[in-house]
Amino acid sequence: QVQLVESGGGLVQPGGSLRLSCAASGSIFTIYATGWYRQAPGKQRELVAVITSSGSTNYADSVKGRFTISRDNAKNTVYLQMNSLKPEDTAVYYCHADRRGLLEVWGQGTLVTVSS
């Protein structure tokens, strides 16, 4: 029922910024938390940031102070503002919806490449 669509990825130089968007549709009321994950070449998928329906946030240590997760409830959209990007941030970034006891939902992913 719930669908997620990511956008905003692209190529950026080290030190640059990008803002990723995750637009949700369907049974939005079932979403407890929305998170951003990433998967770099040759590595497993890892949690980057999460925001709950109550507004609580959490970040991976590697992105604290550089990334900010936020939401616009009116637009059913969650954002990931990424600043001071590093080459090691290069990955496919995925939006994820936690629906408590219901089936989790993943977006299709958007590629972020940080390179000079």
Side-chain angles (χ1 to χ4, degrees), residues 69-93:
I69 189 169
S70 62
R71 68 185 176 204
D72 185 335
N73 289 331
K75 296 181 178 179
N76 294 324
T77 300
V78 173
Y79 304 96
L80 184 67
Q81 179 66 46
M82 305 185 295
N83 299 324
S84 302
L85 284 162
K86 305 174 181 179
E88 50 262 46
D89 294 318
T90 296
V92 176
Y93 285 71

PDB file of all heavy atoms in Angstrom, residues 69-93:
ATOM      1  N   ILE A  69      18.201  14.897   9.010  1.00  0.00           N
ATOM      2  CA  ILE A  69      16.959  14.331   8.504  1.00  0.00           C
ATOM      3  C   ILE A  69      15.800  15.181   9.010  1.00  0.00           C
ATOM      4  O   ILE A  69      15.792  15.626  10.158  1.00  0.00           O
ATOM      5  CB  ILE A  69      16.793  12.854   8.925  1.00  0.00           C
ATOM      6  CG1 ILE A  69      15.594  12.222   8.211  1.00  0.00           C
ATOM      7  CG2 ILE A  69      16.687  12.707  10.431  1.00  0.00           C
ATOM      8  CD1 ILE A  69      15.516  10.705   8.367  1.00  0.00           C
ATOM      9  N   SER A  70      14.833  15.430   8.154  1.00  0.00           N
ATOM     10  CA  SER A  70      13.679  16.240   8.506  1.00  0.00           C
ATOM     11  C   SER A  70      12.470  15.764   7.717  1.00  0.00           C
ATOM     12  O   SER A  70      12.591  14.896   6.845  1.00  0.00           O
ATOM     13  CB  SER A  70      13.946  17.728   8.241  1.00  0.00           C
ATOM     14  OG  SER A  70      14.189  17.960   6.864  1.00  0.00           O
ATOM     15  N   ARG A  71      11.311  16.324   8.026  1.00  0.00           N
ATOM     16  CA  ARG A  71      10.101  15.916   7.319  1.00  0.00           C
ATOM     17  C   ARG A  71       9.144  17.082   7.146  1.00  0.00           C
ATOM     18  O   ARG A  71       9.165  18.056   7.896  1.00  0.00           O
ATOM     19  CB  ARG A  71       9.395  14.786   8.074  1.00  0.00           C
ATOM     20  CG  ARG A  71       8.804  15.216   9.409  1.00  0.00           C
ATOM     21  CD  ARG A  71       8.226  14.051  10.162  1.00  0.00           C
ATOM     22  NE  ARG A  71       7.741  14.451  11.474  1.00  0.00           N
ATOM     23  CZ  ARG A  71       7.604  13.652  12.499  1.00  0.00           C
ATOM     24  NH1 ARG A  71       7.934  12.368  12.370  1.00  0.00           N
ATOM     25  NH2 ARG A  71       7.151  14.116  13.648  1.00  0.00           N
ATOM     26  N   ASP A  72       8.307  16.963   6.135  1.00  0.00           N
ATOM     27  CA  ASP A  72       7.224  17.892   5.883  1.00  0.00           C
ATOM     28  C   ASP A  72       5.962  17.045   5.828  1.00  0.00           C
ATOM     29  O   ASP A  72       5.685  16.402   4.813  1.00  0.00           O
ATOM     30  CB  ASP A  72       7.435  18.649   4.576  1.00  0.00           C
ATOM     31  CG  ASP A  72       6.389  19.715   4.335  1.00  0.00           C
ATOM     32  OD1 ASP A  72       5.275  19.609   4.867  1.00  0.00           O
ATOM     33  OD2 ASP A  72       6.690  20.671   3.595  1.00  0.00           O
ATOM     34  N   ASN A  73       5.217  17.020   6.925  1.00  0.00           N
ATOM     35  CA  ASN A  73       4.041  16.160   7.009  1.00  0.00           C
ATOM     36  C   ASN A  73       2.970  16.524   5.978  1.00  0.00           C
ATOM     37  O   ASN A  73       2.269  15.654   5.472  1.00  0.00           O
ATOM     38  CB  ASN A  73       3.442  16.222   8.413  1.00  0.00           C
ATOM     39  CG  ASN A  73       4.306  15.537   9.451  1.00  0.00           C
ATOM     40  OD1 ASN A  73       5.029  14.586   9.142  1.00  0.00           O
ATOM     41  ND2 ASN A  73       4.231  16.004  10.683  1.00  0.00           N
ATOM     42  N   ALA A  74       2.849  17.804   5.669  1.00  0.00           N
ATOM     43  CA  ALA A  74       1.855  18.240   4.698  1.00  0.00           C
ATOM     44  C   ALA A  74       2.138  17.674   3.313  1.00  0.00           C
ATOM     45  O   ALA A  74       1.215  17.447   2.527  1.00  0.00           O
ATOM     46  CB  ALA A  74       1.786  19.763   4.647  1.00  0.00           C
ATOM     47  N   LYS A  75       3.412  17.452   3.012  1.00  0.00           N
ATOM     48  CA  LYS A  75       3.810  16.926   1.709  1.00  0.00           C
ATOM     49  C   LYS A  75       4.119  15.436   1.744  1.00  0.00           C
ATOM     50  O   LYS A  75       4.487  14.860   0.721  1.00  0.00           O
ATOM     51  CB  LYS A  75       5.029  17.677   1.185  1.00  0.00           C
ATOM     52  CG  LYS A  75       4.787  19.149   0.914  1.00  0.00           C
ATOM     53  CD  LYS A  75       6.036  19.815   0.367  1.00  0.00           C
ATOM     54  CE  LYS A  75       5.785  21.279   0.058  1.00  0.00           C
ATOM     55  NZ  LYS A  75       7.009  21.948  -0.467  1.00  0.00           N
ATOM     56  N   ASN A  76       3.985  14.818   2.922  1.00  0.00           N
ATOM     57  CA  ASN A  76       4.320  13.401   3.090  1.00  0.00           C
ATOM     58  C   ASN A  76       5.723  13.103   2.570  1.00  0.00           C
ATOM     59  O   ASN A  76       5.952  12.099   1.882  1.00  0.00           O
ATOM     60  CB  ASN A  76       3.290  12.509   2.391  1.00  0.00           C
ATOM     61  CG  ASN A  76       1.920  12.581   3.025  1.00  0.00           C
ATOM     62  OD1 ASN A  76       1.798  12.706   4.239  1.00  0.00           O
ATOM     63  ND2 ASN A  76       0.888  12.500   2.204  1.00  0.00           N
ATOM     64  N   THR A  77       6.653  13.967   2.917  1.00  0.00           N
ATOM     65  CA  THR A  77       8.005  13.875   2.393  1.00  0.00           C
ATOM     66  C   THR A  77       9.028  13.979   3.518  1.00  0.00           C
ATOM     67  O   THR A  77       8.894  14.819   4.408  1.00  0.00           O
ATOM     68  CB  THR A  77       8.272  14.971   1.354  1.00  0.00           C
ATOM     69  OG1 THR A  77       7.352  14.828   0.267  1.00  0.00           O
ATOM     70  CG2 THR A  77       9.690  14.874   0.809  1.00  0.00           C
ATOM     71  N   VAL A  78      10.040  13.125   3.451  1.00  0.00           N
ATOM     72  CA  VAL A  78      11.172  13.159   4.368  1.00  0.00           C
ATOM     73  C   VAL A  78      12.411  13.550   3.575  1.00  0.00           C
ATOM     74  O   VAL A  78      12.595  13.107   2.437  1.00  0.00           O
ATOM     75  CB  VAL A  78      11.370  11.804   5.061  1.00  0.00           C
ATOM     76  CG1 VAL A  78      12.661  11.795   5.883  1.00  0.00           C
ATOM     77  CG2 VAL A  78      10.187  11.502   5.970  1.00  0.00           C
ATOM     78  N   TYR A  79      13.261  14.366   4.179  1.00  0.00           N
ATOM     79  CA  TYR A  79      14.444  14.873   3.513  1.00  0.00           C
ATOM     80  C   TYR A  79      15.706  14.438   4.237  1.00  0.00           C
ATOM     81  O   TYR A  79      15.708  14.196   5.442  1.00  0.00           O
ATOM     82  CB  TYR A  79      14.418  16.402   3.453  1.00  0.00           C
ATOM     83  CG  TYR A  79      13.188  16.969   2.804  1.00  0.00           C
ATOM     84  CD1 TYR A  79      12.103  17.383   3.571  1.00  0.00           C
ATOM     85  CD2 TYR A  79      13.110  17.093   1.425  1.00  0.00           C
ATOM     86  CE1 TYR A  79      10.966  17.909   2.972  1.00  0.00           C
ATOM     87  CE2 TYR A  79      11.979  17.615   0.822  1.00  0.00           C
ATOM     88  CZ  TYR A  79      10.910  18.019   1.598  1.00  0.00           C
ATOM     89  OH  TYR A  79       9.785  18.540   0.999  1.00  0.00           O
ATOM     90  N   LEU A  80      16.782  14.359   3.495  1.00  0.00           N
ATOM     91  CA  LEU A  80      18.098  14.157   4.071  1.00  0.00           C
ATOM     92  C   LEU A  80      19.017  15.220   3.496  1.00  0.00           C
ATOM     93  O   LEU A  80      19.392  15.150   2.324  1.00  0.00           O
ATOM     94  CB  LEU A  80      18.648  12.762   3.767  1.00  0.00           C
ATOM     95  CG  LEU A  80      19.996  12.441   4.418  1.00  0.00           C
ATOM     96  CD1 LEU A  80      19.848  12.352   5.936  1.00  0.00           C
ATOM     97  CD2 LEU A  80      20.577  11.145   3.861  1.00  0.00           C
ATOM     98  N   GLN A  81      19.340  16.221   4.311  1.00  0.00           N
ATOM     99  CA  GLN A  81      20.273  17.257   3.913  1.00  0.00           C
ATOM    100  C   GLN A  81      21.680  16.770   4.201  1.00  0.00           C
ATOM    101  O   GLN A  81      22.009  16.464   5.345  1.00  0.00           O
ATOM    102  CB  GLN A  81      19.995  18.556   4.667  1.00  0.00           C
ATOM    103  CG  GLN A  81      20.949  19.697   4.333  1.00  0.00           C
ATOM    104  CD  GLN A  81      20.815  20.176   2.908  1.00  0.00           C
ATOM    105  OE1 GLN A  81      19.705  20.379   2.430  1.00  0.00           O
ATOM    106  NE2 GLN A  81      21.939  20.343   2.222  1.00  0.00           N
ATOM    107  N   MET A  82      22.514  16.711   3.178  1.00  0.00           N
ATOM    108  CA  MET A  82      23.866  16.195   3.304  1.00  0.00           C
ATOM    109  C   MET A  82      24.854  17.312   2.999  1.00  0.00           C
ATOM    110  O   MET A  82      24.906  17.813   1.873  1.00  0.00           O
ATOM    111  CB  MET A  82      24.088  15.013   2.361  1.00  0.00           C
ATOM    112  CG  MET A  82      23.068  13.891   2.534  1.00  0.00           C
ATOM    113  SD  MET A  82      23.440  12.441   1.512  1.00  0.00           S
ATOM    114  CE  MET A  82      23.242  13.150  -0.120  1.00  0.00           C
ATOM    115  N   ASN A  83      25.628  17.702   3.999  1.00  0.00           N
ATOM    116  CA  ASN A  83      26.629  18.745   3.859  1.00  0.00           C
ATOM    117  C   ASN A  83      28.023  18.174   4.072  1.00  0.00           C
ATOM    118  O   ASN A  83      28.192  17.090   4.625  1.00  0.00           O
ATOM    119  CB  ASN A  83      26.373  19.868   4.870  1.00  0.00           C
ATOM    120  CG  ASN A  83      25.036  20.540   4.693  1.00  0.00           C
ATOM    121  OD1 ASN A  83      24.554  20.708   3.578  1.00  0.00           O
ATOM    122  ND2 ASN A  83      24.429  20.955   5.804  1.00  0.00           N
ATOM    123  N   SER A  84      29.024  18.931   3.650  1.00  0.00           N
ATOM    124  CA  SER A  84      30.420  18.531   3.814  1.00  0.00           C
ATOM    125  C   SER A  84      30.646  17.104   3.343  1.00  0.00           C
ATOM    126  O   SER A  84      31.257  16.284   4.032  1.00  0.00           O
ATOM    127  CB  SER A  84      30.844  18.687   5.283  1.00  0.00           C
ATOM    128  OG  SER A  84      30.677  20.014   5.727  1.00  0.00           O
ATOM    129  N   LEU A  85      30.159  16.812   2.166  1.00  0.00           N
ATOM    130  CA  LEU A  85      30.214  15.445   1.653  1.00  0.00           C
ATOM    131  C   LEU A  85      31.646  14.987   1.413  1.00  0.00           C
ATOM    132  O   LEU A  85      32.508  15.769   1.006  1.00  0.00           O
ATOM    133  CB  LEU A  85      29.403  15.334   0.368  1.00  0.00           C
ATOM    134  CG  LEU A  85      27.891  15.293   0.588  1.00  0.00           C
ATOM    135  CD1 LEU A  85      27.150  15.617  -0.697  1.00  0.00           C
ATOM    136  CD2 LEU A  85      27.476  13.918   1.112  1.00  0.00           C
ATOM    137  N   LYS A  86      31.869  13.709   1.674  1.00  0.00           N
ATOM    138  CA  LYS A  86      33.165  13.075   1.526  1.00  0.00           C
ATOM    139  C   LYS A  86      33.070  11.950   0.503  1.00  0.00           C
ATOM    140  O   LYS A  86      31.996  11.402   0.278  1.00  0.00           O
ATOM    141  CB  LYS A  86      33.631  12.499   2.870  1.00  0.00           C
ATOM    142  CG  LYS A  86      33.669  13.496   4.010  1.00  0.00           C
ATOM    143  CD  LYS A  86      34.010  12.803   5.320  1.00  0.00           C
ATOM    144  CE  LYS A  86      34.040  13.784   6.473  1.00  0.00           C
ATOM    145  NZ  LYS A  86      34.355  13.095   7.763  1.00  0.00           N
ATOM    146  N   PRO A  87      34.193  11.582  -0.109  1.00  0.00           N
ATOM    147  CA  PRO A  87      34.156  10.463  -1.065  1.00  0.00           C
ATOM    148  C   PRO A  87      33.566   9.191  -0.461  1.00  0.00           C
ATOM    149  O   PRO A  87      32.899   8.436  -1.179  1.00  0.00           O
ATOM    150  CB  PRO A  87      35.631  10.278  -1.430  1.00  0.00           C
ATOM    151  CG  PRO A  87      36.213  11.641  -1.287  1.00  0.00           C
ATOM    152  CD  PRO A  87      35.515  12.233  -0.091  1.00  0.00           C
ATOM    153  N   GLU A  88      33.785   8.953   0.823  1.00  0.00           N
ATOM    154  CA  GLU A  88      33.251   7.760   1.461  1.00  0.00           C
ATOM    155  C   GLU A  88      31.735   7.790   1.636  1.00  0.00           C
ATOM    156  O   GLU A  88      31.137   6.792   2.040  1.00  0.00           O
ATOM    157  CB  GLU A  88      33.926   7.505   2.819  1.00  0.00           C
ATOM    158  CG  GLU A  88      33.958   8.721   3.727  1.00  0.00           C
ATOM    159  CD  GLU A  88      35.283   9.456   3.661  1.00  0.00           C
ATOM    160  OE1 GLU A  88      35.785   9.678   2.536  1.00  0.00           O
ATOM    161  OE2 GLU A  88      35.827   9.805   4.729  1.00  0.00           O
ATOM    162  N   ASP A  89      31.106   8.928   1.342  1.00  0.00           N
ATOM    163  CA  ASP A  89      29.650   9.008   1.350  1.00  0.00           C
ATOM    164  C   ASP A  89      29.042   8.469   0.061  1.00  0.00           C
ATOM    165  O   ASP A  89      27.819   8.347  -0.038  1.00  0.00           O
ATOM    166  CB  ASP A  89      29.183  10.451   1.555  1.00  0.00           C
ATOM    167  CG  ASP A  89      29.554  11.000   2.923  1.00  0.00           C
ATOM    168  OD1 ASP A  89      29.404  10.255   3.922  1.00  0.00           O
ATOM    169  OD2 ASP A  89      29.971  12.170   2.996  1.00  0.00           O
ATOM    170  N   THR A  90      29.869   8.181  -0.921  1.00  0.00           N
ATOM    171  CA  THR A  90      29.386   7.652  -2.190  1.00  0.00           C
ATOM    172  C   THR A  90      28.651   6.336  -1.971  1.00  0.00           C
ATOM    173  O   THR A  90      29.197   5.397  -1.391  1.00  0.00           O
ATOM    174  CB  THR A  90      30.546   7.442  -3.168  1.00  0.00           C
ATOM    175  OG1 THR A  90      31.147   8.700  -3.482  1.00  0.00           O
ATOM    176  CG2 THR A  90      30.062   6.786  -4.452  1.00  0.00           C
ATOM    177  N   ALA A  91      27.407   6.273  -2.425  1.00  0.00           N
ATOM    178  CA  ALA A  91      26.583   5.091  -2.223  1.00  0.00           C
ATOM    179  C   ALA A  91      25.237   5.294  -2.904  1.00  0.00           C
ATOM    180  O   ALA A  91      24.891   6.400  -3.317  1.00  0.00           O
ATOM    181  CB  ALA A  91      26.362   4.826  -0.731  1.00  0.00           C
ATOM    182  N   VAL A  92      24.488   4.207  -3.002  1.00  0.00           N
ATOM    183  CA  VAL A  92      23.082   4.311  -3.349  1.00  0.00           C
ATOM    184  C   VAL A  92      22.318   4.516  -2.051  1.00  0.00           C
ATOM    185  O   VAL A  92      22.474   3.738  -1.105  1.00  0.00           O
ATOM    186  CB  VAL A  92      22.570   3.062  -4.081  1.00  0.00           C
ATOM    187  CG1 VAL A  92      21.067   3.175  -4.344  1.00  0.00           C
ATOM    188  CG2 VAL A  92      23.321   2.879  -5.395  1.00  0.00           C
ATOM    189  N   TYR A  93      21.522   5.562  -1.993  1.00  0.00           N
ATOM    190  CA  TYR A  93      20.765   5.895  -0.796  1.00  0.00           C
ATOM    191  C   TYR A  93      19.316   5.456  -0.964  1.00  0.00           C
ATOM    192  O   TYR A  93      18.682   5.737  -1.979  1.00  0.00           O
ATOM    193  CB  TYR A  93      20.836   7.397  -0.514  1.00  0.00           C
ATOM    194  CG  TYR A  93      22.159   7.828   0.058  1.00  0.00           C
ATOM    195  CD1 TYR A  93      23.304   7.848  -0.732  1.00  0.00           C
ATOM    196  CD2 TYR A  93      22.281   8.200   1.402  1.00  0.00           C
ATOM    197  CE1 TYR A  93      24.530   8.221  -0.206  1.00  0.00           C
ATOM    198  CE2 TYR A  93      23.498   8.575   1.932  1.00  0.00           C
ATOM    199  CZ  TYR A  93      24.619   8.583   1.125  1.00  0.00           C
ATOM    200  OH  TYR A  93      25.838   8.958   1.654  1.00  0.00           O
TER     201      TYR A  93
END
